Amino acid sequence: MSKRTVHFKIYRYDPDKDEKPYMQDISVELEPSDKKLLDALVRLRAKDDSMSFRRSCREGVCGSDAMNINGKNGLACLTDIDSLEQPVTLRPLPGLPVIRDLIVDMTQFFKQYHSIKPYLVNNDPPPERERLQSPEDREELNGLYECILCACCSTSCPSFWWNPDKFVGPAGLLAAYRFLADTRDQDTGARLDNLEDPYRLFRCHTIMNCVDVCPKGLNPTRAIGKIKDMMVRRAI
Amino acid sequence: MNVAKRTFDAVIVGAGGAGLRAALQLSEAGLKTAVLTKVFPTRSHTVAAQGGVAASLGNSTEDNWHWHMYDTVKGSDWLGDQDAIEFMCKKANEVVIELEHYGMPFDRTDNGKIYQRPFGGHSMNYGQAPVMRSCAAADRTGHAMLHALYQRNVRANTQFFVEWMALDLIRDADGDVLGVTAMEMETGEVSIFHAKATVFATGGAGRIYYSSTNAFINTGDGVGMAARAGIPLEDMEFWQFHPTGVAGAGVLITEGVRGEGGILRNASGERFMERYAPNLKDLASRDVVSRAMTTEINEGRGCGPDKDHVLLDITHLSPDTIMKRLPGIREIAIQFAGVDPIKAPIPVVPTCHYQMGGIPTNYKGQVVVPKDGNPNSPVAGFYAAGECACASVHGANRLGTNSLLDLLVFGKSAGETVVEDFQSGQLKLKPLPADAADVSLARLARLDGQTNGESVFDVGLEMRRTMQKHAGVFRFDNLLKEGVQKIGEVAERAKRTEIKDKSKVWNVARMEALELDNLIEVARATMVSAEARKESRGAHVRDDAPDTAENPNGRDDANWLKHTLWYSEGNRLDYKPVNLKPLSDDVEPIALAKRTY
């Protein structure tokens, strides 16, 4: 592969010096080994060290480099640069306050995650050995526990945009179901009570943007549906 | 600059596996604890661990901790301290079971127990056959573990300072540790965290190398801070090159792939590990496999147009096994190597992965330094655990799955020691020296005022290239000598780095410049320690220390069975004895022997 140039339009805002945000046109020449959007952004930073974004593992497991890429949320480290239409338009994740450039304030997102009590509750005295769980029961957690908390899903969800303080959002609800589905957890009743509310669970209108953008291929909408089923089942 | 002061019983720096495990201990004991972390906890690099955590649960094959201890000592090429190794292997079942009780989604055996798979260097009955010891959650064990530990800390109401970067260690005239200075990323403000106990759990510094499996954040911050504050660094010449990084990209492919039956092949399709390790073959320990691969490539048997990699083949496994046990690896291979491993082998090369050395500690997690004739005198108020620390359980080469075990056992142990020292009244809040923040403020002022300096990117690149070329899988005397000089020059250049971005708000450039200061300490320590060690041992293999009858595998126990200690000031080296005596009187020491697999 020969050297190639990529053109970007990037949302820039530094509250220390900018009165308001603006879109910057900028290009960068890539090395043949640069394959992912993150490689290009690192290249850009070498040219302009004020370009700010979060990044860490560069392999799609830490969830740091979520951003809005040509109108769709995704991880920079898992996005092939050559697959993107140019100019590549990069914006911070929608719906959360911007701290600087592509860095958003994720307080509200984590607040919702914490609100579902994201930890196993089991009040029996811990046995000497592991609590047993059949492979089939363990399989129920697949597609749930792999969430990397990147926030691509919640920040693509119109219901979360409107009510980020009241609607738990797809990431938090996926986590809620991860514990509801765990045979070792004993807090089912309280977990469902916690979500039985016109906003916390029921603002999901199955728009399914979350499923569309999840970089790990997870399906929060299905998990939300299963929580709703559990609500119905306990009501009858 | 205005420096706020915050006071705590304890401050923990780092919220990966070791930091979170320590935090749990302190929070549950009711200590007022601050956990500083430069990334949100679940973004720490523990998240990227794949294959498993070692514990001799014996769920699928017979096992016991004595066998695990033997494997770990042998894996360390006898440089590991046998008291700490005994402690770790004995505690393994307890900490893994605890994690299961916290909710960690381990895979399961048919009878509902934790699933275990074979892993490199782990054996049954003192080296006889592979054992199933690695407790796994598919190939996402680190992710599952880190999230479970974070979740348990949410339950324990641990106080996190997220996106705060620790800058410097604070010591007083007695050498006691009083806390750290730290910068809040969002505002650029510097604070002093004044505490009775300071625990470092800052991870490794794999980013000193050009080709690394490590995350961008793995910049050895705690190791650098400790070195600048006069604490020696132990055994820094020992770096693990993981056999299977994706060629070109560096992304990790777990050893669990070989645990599930994967095979390494050269250009002619030969399973070459049979020649190097007739017994354990592809599951020999990592240093052995990485050297074998490098030899194959160097002798012209590499694959691809440039003959620069070998192939990791799992096409003979059933698609079901791959989808169930190695789903993350399949994603990585498709994403970063462009191959679906169900259909085609994955191109791999040895890639820098893990720092065996670090801040010297004992098995209780106390930081220890030579003082008044005692080579292991605890530094009051200072503790460390995980990859940043050197207990030393990994010695000259770490076994796969022992890193996740290390951070659980020693994270917990450091936490327990802090709680004991706190409750016994031994820990005091000593007064801060007047100049407690001066070093940090001077570093920041230097960066703000620097003109005509070099970019952090350029100096960092030069460091990474120098390390890669001069201190790689095989080591040569002339390259090491040249490397010492070159890395010294790079360190001088790092003192004049310039950043264009002067913003107070989330300044990545400033963070990277400060991280480079830490990386440079680690790079210097590595090169100087490696140049000095005139033998081959574990991951440190010199061409002028070959295999002889007197020195098996080039290992020279008469002269070099000792830990290196490197001091930043003056680039000075010192040494201390290896502890060959286990913790318990009734445990037999593992006698020195030639390592073969």
Side-chain angles (χ1 to χ4, degrees), chain B residues 163-200:
Chain B
E163 293 178 340
W164 281 72
M165 185 184 176
L167 302 177
D168 288 286
L169 190 65
I170 301 171
R171 300 180 79 184
D172 67 6
D174 301 327
D176 296 355
V177 168
L178 274 54
V180 292
T181 52
M183 183 174 68
E184 185 182 27
M185 292 304 302
E186 189 175 337
T187 61
E189 299 289 336
V190 175
S191 287
I192 288 175
F193 285 77
H194 186 197
K196 294 179 183 176
T198 301
V199 184
F200 272 14

Side-chain angles (χ1 to χ4, degrees), chain B residues 106-183:
Chain B
F106 283 109
D107 285 5
R108 300 289 169 156
T109 60
D110 286 341
N111 56 12
K113 294 180 178 176
I114 292 172
Y115 169 76
Q116 298 185 282
R117 60 162 60 109
F119 236 77
H122 289 282
S123 74
M124 215 183 269
N125 204 14
Y126 309 101
Q128 279 191 355
V131 71
M132 293 168 86
R133 187 179 289 150
S134 169
C135 311
D139 52 3
R140 305 186 180 98
T141 311
H143 172 277
M145 178 183 288
L146 188 67
H147 281 251
L149 285 170
Y150 176 68
Q151 290 160 354
R152 188 75 176 185
N153 272 282
V154 172
R155 178 179 178 270
N157 232 342
T158 299
Q159 190 179 358
F160 290 101
F161 288 76
V162 175
E163 293 178 340
W164 281 72
M165 185 184 176
L167 302 177
D168 288 286
L169 190 65
I170 301 171
R171 300 180 79 184
D172 67 6
D174 301 327
D176 296 355
V177 168
L178 274 54
V180 292
T181 52
M183 183 174 68

Side-chain angles (χ1 to χ4, degrees), chain B residues 514-566:
Chain B
L514 295 165
E515 288 173 335
L516 183 64
D517 291 346
N518 296 324
L519 285 165
I520 288 286
E521 295 293 336
V522 176
R524 289 171 64 219
T526 300
M527 201 67 91
V528 173
S529 304
E531 192 278 326
R533 185 174 284 271
K534 312 285 192 224
E535 65 158 353
S536 297
R537 184 185 297 271
H540 175 71
V541 165
R542 301 174 61 110
D543 78 318
D544 56 0
D547 187 14
T548 62
E550 202 182 29
N551 293 333
N553 297 332
R555 197 179 79 203
D556 178 2
D557 289 324
N559 294 300
W560 288 101
L561 182 58
K562 56 187 179 184
H563 295 295
T564 306
L565 294 173
W566 172 86

Side-chain angles (χ1 to χ4, degrees), chain B residues 207-226:
Chain B
R207 282 271 156 181
I208 61 170
Y209 283 92
Y210 185 77
S211 172
S212 171
T213 64
N214 283 200
F216 281 98
I217 58 168
N218 289 25
T219 53
D221 296 343
V223 182
M225 284 188 270

Side-chain angles (χ1 to χ4, degrees), chain A residues 16 36 54 58 114 118 184, chain B residues 150-151 163 212 335 504:
Chain A
D16 226 15
K36 302 294 179 185
R54 294 186 177 103
R58 59 84 167 88
H114 294 150
R184 299 169 296 174
Chain B
Y150 176 68
Q151 290 160 354
E163 293 178 340
S212 171
Q335 273 281 349
K504 298 276 284 173

